[in-house]
Amino acid sequence: MASRIFQAEDGTLLGDLVLFARRGHLSWLEVCDLTDVDGELKPSLGLALRCLGRPAPRTC
């Protein structure tokens, strides 16, 4: 199992992408919603991939 939290460019937490493997192969994928229940933006696999595809912010 592997997990990665993804966030908006402003740092707002959006979701958690969780990957499960069995015998070395991807067997299941989940996108967990970490936003407000009444929020307009709903995390999806597409949104997770776009957020995780951005370069990581630089830290000093």
Side-chain angles (χ1 to χ4, degrees):
M1 183 179 89
S3 175
R4 174 82 187 268
I5 291 177
F6 59 97
Q7 57 193 25
E9 289 184 7
D10 66 1
T12 303
L13 293 179
L14 297 175
D16 188 14
L17 182 62
V18 184
L19 302 144
F20 297 88
R22 179 176 287 167
R23 297 185 188 122
H25 297 281
L26 179 65
S27 62
W28 191 261
L29 184 133
E30 288 185 18
V31 177
C32 302
D33 189 348
L34 298 178
T35 63
D36 292 333
V37 174
D38 296 327
E40 293 179 21
L41 184 62
K42 292 298 172 198
S44 65
L45 178 58
L47 179 61
L49 294 175
R50 284 193 303 277
C51 291
L52 294 173
R54 287 194 305 258
R58 290 187 160 184
T59 57
C60 299

